[in-house]
């Protein structure tokens, strides 16, 4: 993968290349930044750069990200087919990982979980992973250069793995570089954070998102303008908006249904609504609730009549035109609290039918709150 495939982030790219040219490359880097800014894309492009791929040449192994000196670590799950003593490692899911990478280096944990069929499990990086990585990195470089370890979401390491990796970072094999890509760096143990050089990555500029949508995705200028505003520097969000004919439109339909039924106090219909949402998988239920929070925020801001503060699709805005007045200073905080409690309850495996029916009934009261 080449740097030219990374969306924006020229400043970070130049900084990384300068580290190499000035022979002051740290043995461990920690890529941090908001969702959708391209942390993994930058790490993969830099790994390819270190292993010999440049903008003016092509290395077949690196194009497929299957170079023998490039090693991947990422969260995994325990499959029913695995033995009781087996600690899952990244190699168990190498096929799925490379399949996901074929679609591009911009994806999130939800997409990875769906790829490995683990929607209702917690994915972690086990102690078995650090043992496997030590064996790989102890070997000599096949090409006589760097060995690169890309660790995606190191904050998901269990404590045993983290402690073993710490020793590996403290005494790294010759010409080994660790590139860690973190969504929540504060959850990494302090001793690992202190032994890495942090690379903070900013969100992508809206103009860069807009031009990429037009040039790479064939989006019309009008649609690209709206999507880039909605994405607000998050390329993953821009991709979701392109694909919004699926889940987001379904969520909008369920959001509108909930608001109308709650306003009309149709208890039986709200029960049917809650049964439908309860039928979603747990991760999808949480995505719906996050969408609900987003829509409440946007409808609240819509009341201020400041276009630059509102990030909605045309369909969402069409509904907000008449609905937004029901979201105000008198109820917005209580609505947020209700949604966050519901997210917590779903995360703790509470009965979804009961949780969502209670959620729907409480919305009846909240929608009539005055300023």
């Amino acid at each position: 993968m080449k740097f030219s495939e990374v969306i924006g982030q020229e400043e970070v790219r130049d900084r990384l290349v300068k580290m190499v040219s000035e022979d002051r490359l740290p043995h461990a880097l920690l890529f941090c930044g908001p969702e959708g800014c391209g942390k993994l894309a930058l790490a993969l492009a830099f790994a390819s750069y270190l292993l010999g791929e440049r903008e003016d040449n092509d290395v077949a192994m690196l194009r497929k990200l299957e170079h023998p000196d490039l090693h991947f670590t990422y969260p995994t799950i325990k499959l029913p087919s695995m033995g009781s003593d087996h600690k899952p490692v990244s190699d168990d899911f190498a096929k799925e990982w490379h399949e996901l990478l074929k679609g591009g280096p911009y994806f999130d944990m939800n997409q990875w979980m769906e790829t490995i069929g683990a929607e209702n499990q917690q994915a972690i990086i086990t102690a078995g992973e650090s043992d496997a990585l030590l064996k790989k990195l102890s070997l000599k470089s096949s090409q006589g250069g760097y060995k690169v370890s890309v660790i995606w979401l190191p904050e998901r390491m269990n404590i045993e793995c983290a402690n073993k990796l710490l020793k590996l970072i403290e005494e790294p094999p010759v010409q080994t570089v660790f590139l860690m890509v973190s969504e929540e760096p504060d959850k990494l143990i302090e001793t690992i954070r202190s032994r890495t050089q942090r690379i903070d990555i900013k969100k992508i500029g809206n103009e860069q998102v807009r031009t990429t949508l037009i040039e790479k995705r064939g989006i019309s200028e009008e649609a690209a303008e709206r999507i880039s505003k909605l994405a607000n520097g998050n390329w993953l969000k821009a991709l979701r908006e392109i694909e919004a004919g699926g889940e987001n439109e379904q969520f909008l339909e369920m959001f509108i249904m909930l608001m109308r039924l709650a306003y009309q106090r149709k208890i039986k219909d709200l029960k049917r609504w809650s049964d439908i949402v309860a039928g979603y998988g747990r991760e999808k239920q949480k995505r719906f609730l996050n969408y609900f929070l987003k829509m409440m925020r946007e409808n609240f801001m819509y009341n201020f009549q400041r276009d630059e503060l509102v990030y909605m699709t045309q369909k969402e805005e069409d509904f907000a035109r008449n609905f937004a007045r029901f979201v105000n200073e008198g109820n917005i905080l209580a609505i947020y609290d209700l949604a966050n409690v519901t997210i917590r309850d779903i995360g703790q495996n509470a009965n979804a039918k009961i949780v969502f029916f209670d959620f729907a009934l409480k919305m009846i009261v909240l929608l009539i709150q005055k300023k």
Side-chain angles (χ1 to χ4, degrees):
M1 178 176 176
K2 299 182 179 180
F3 279 119
S4 57
E5 297 172 65
V6 179
I7 301 168
Q9 309 301 357
E10 290 82 1
E11 183 180 336
V12 179
R13 176 201 64 197
D14 293 345
R15 179 183 172 190
L16 293 170
V17 171
K18 190 175 181 181
M19 284 180 180
V20 178
S21 65
E22 294 180 352
D23 196 25
R24 54 181 183 84
L25 177 64
H27 69 274
L29 295 174
L30 180 62
F31 292 79
C32 307
E35 180 191 74
C37 68
K39 300 182 290 294
L40 180 59
L42 272 167
L44 294 176
F46 188 47
S48 296
Y49 183 87
L50 292 175
L51 294 172
E53 183 176 60
R54 301 291 188 268
E55 295 302 315
D56 57 352
N57 69 1
D58 188 29
V59 180
M61 289 184 295
L62 288 172
R63 297 303 298 160
K64 296 180 180 179
L65 296 171
E66 294 178 350
H67 194 284
D69 294 322
L70 175 60
H71 308 288
F72 289 110
T73 295
Y74 36 81
T76 60
I77 60 168
K78 182 100 173 197
L79 295 174
S81 58
M82 294 175 176
S84 58
D85 295 332
H86 180 72
K87 296 177 180 178
V89 294
S90 297
D91 285 348
D92 294 328
F93 299 89
K95 181 181 177 182
E96 291 84 354
W97 176 255
H98 285 284
E99 194 64 36
L100 189 57
L101 282 176
K102 283 181 184 178
Y106 293 85
F107 53 83
D108 60 14
M109 189 61 186
N110 284 333
Q111 289 168 279
W112 173 235
M113 295 291 274
E114 288 173 6
T115 299
I116 61 176
E119 191 169 316
N120 292 315
Q121 293 191 52
Q122 295 295 322
I124 63 169
I125 301 175
T126 69
E129 186 67 47
S130 54
D131 294 335
L133 191 57
L134 175 60
K135 290 179 183 178
K136 293 175 184 176
L137 297 178
S138 297
L139 300 173
K140 289 184 64 176
S141 166
S142 66
Q143 308 294 312
Y146 286 106
K147 291 173 288 183
V148 182
S149 169
V150 175
I151 303 176
W152 185 55
L153 305 184
E155 61 267 28
R156 286 184 174 258
M157 292 186 290
N158 64 20
I159 191 64
E160 186 181 357
C161 177
N163 286 330
K164 287 184 176 181
L165 183 66
L166 175 62
K167 293 180 180 179
L168 194 55
I169 293 174
E170 286 177 331
E171 299 178 12
V174 178
Q175 279 195 293
T176 296
V177 179
F178 295 92
L179 305 180
M180 302 186 191
V181 182
S182 177
E183 290 286 344
E184 300 174 288
D186 290 344
K187 290 186 177 180
L188 259 175
I189 61 173
E190 172 58 31
T191 45
I192 287 183
R193 289 205 309 271
S194 66
R195 286 163 176 77
T196 63
Q197 180 166 327
R198 180 164 171 156
I199 304 293
D200 285 303
I201 303 161
K202 299 176 183 178
K203 66 182 182 180
I204 307 167
N206 281 9
E207 179 58 23
Q208 185 69 62
V209 173
R210 189 188 73 83
T211 55
T212 304
L213 286 169
I214 294 170
E215 295 170 4
K216 304 291 187 181
R217 295 281 171 162
I219 305 297
S220 70
E221 291 198 14
E222 182 181 355
E225 185 70 36
R226 176 175 282 273
I227 291 172
S228 63
K229 182 183 176 184
L230 287 167
N232 193 27
N234 182 338
W235 182 248
L236 280 175
K237 196 169 182 180
L239 293 178
R240 291 186 200 119
E241 291 300 330
I242 294 173
E243 299 162 359
E247 189 170 85
N248 277 5
E249 285 204 358
Q250 180 187 19
F251 286 169
L252 174 60
E253 181 183 338
M254 296 304 291
F255 175 81
I256 292 173
M257 188 185 303
L258 172 62
M259 295 304 104
R260 287 176 174 165
L261 294 175
Y263 179 75
Q264 296 167 5
R265 305 185 186 189
K266 293 187 174 181
I267 306 299
K268 288 184 178 179
D269 290 333
L270 284 172
K271 179 64 172 65
R272 281 192 285 270
W273 177 91
S274 62
D275 287 345
I276 293 171
V277 181
Y280 298 163
R282 185 163 59 89
E283 293 301 321
K284 186 174 180 179
Q285 289 165 3
K286 289 192 286 187
R287 291 198 298 274
F288 169 73
L289 288 166
N290 282 311
Y291 177 84
F292 171 90
L293 284 169
K294 174 240 181 190
M295 284 299 292
M296 282 300 173
R297 181 266 178 200
E298 299 304 333
N299 277 270
F300 180 69
M301 298 306 295
Y302 188 87
N303 292 311
F304 294 93
Q305 298 182 347
R306 296 276 299 275
D307 290 346
E308 70 273 17
L309 299 177
V310 178
Y311 300 89
M312 287 190 280
T313 66
Q314 190 60 58
K315 288 183 179 179
E316 290 169 345
E317 196 170 325
D318 289 343
F319 179 68
R321 195 167 293 115
N322 294 317
F323 172 72
R325 60 195 172 94
F326 293 100
V327 185
N328 52 62
E329 292 94 334
N331 62 14
I332 184 64
L333 293 179
I335 289 173
Y336 256 68
D337 288 343
L338 173 62
N340 282 313
V341 167
T342 306
I343 291 171
R344 182 203 66 193
D345 291 345
I346 292 299
Q348 294 177 350
N349 292 320
N351 185 303
K353 287 187 177 182
I354 295 174
V355 169
F356 280 105
F357 189 41
D358 180 67
F359 172 75
L361 292 177
K362 286 177 178 174
M363 281 306 304
I364 294 175
V365 178
L366 291 173
L367 282 181
I368 62 173
Q369 294 291 322
K370 303 295 184 183
K371 295 184 180 180

